[in-house]
Amino acid sequence: MECTEIKEWLNDYLDNELPPAQAEHVRCHLVDCPACREKLGELEQVKGLIRSLPRQPAPAGILVRLLE
């Protein structure tokens, strides 16, 4: 399996959104590919940082403005 294909799937892999067979392909690839493991680690760090940000309420009326 090509690294470019695996890298496209890493976000979904982290979010457990891949079908089981596809997730297994990613797992197997990660065992032998340090570059893809490194990319996975970077994505995990970014997702962790995003989750650590304080939640802010959406501005009043945002839904109406988005739908316009």
Side-chain angles (χ1 to χ4, degrees):
M1 189 160 285
E2 298 272 335
C3 290
T4 54
E5 188 175 29
I6 294 295
K7 287 178 182 177
E8 289 178 19
W9 296 344
L10 287 178
N11 275 313
D12 291 338
Y13 178 77
L14 279 176
D15 294 337
N16 295 313
E17 295 178 351
L18 291 177
Q22 196 174 8
E24 182 62 23
H25 285 299
V26 173
R27 268 191 294 279
C28 290
H29 179 84
L30 290 171
V31 168
D32 295 323
C33 185
C36 287
R37 283 195 309 271
E38 181 177 342
K39 183 66 174 176
L40 181 66
E42 291 169 1
L43 290 171
E44 288 173 325
Q45 286 181 335
V46 169
K47 285 183 181 243
L49 289 171
I50 290 170
R51 287 186 196 111
S52 72
L53 294 172
R55 292 185 178 244
Q56 299 292 322
I62 188 72
L63 183 58
V64 172
R65 288 186 294 201
L66 288 172
L67 293 175
E68 292 176 343

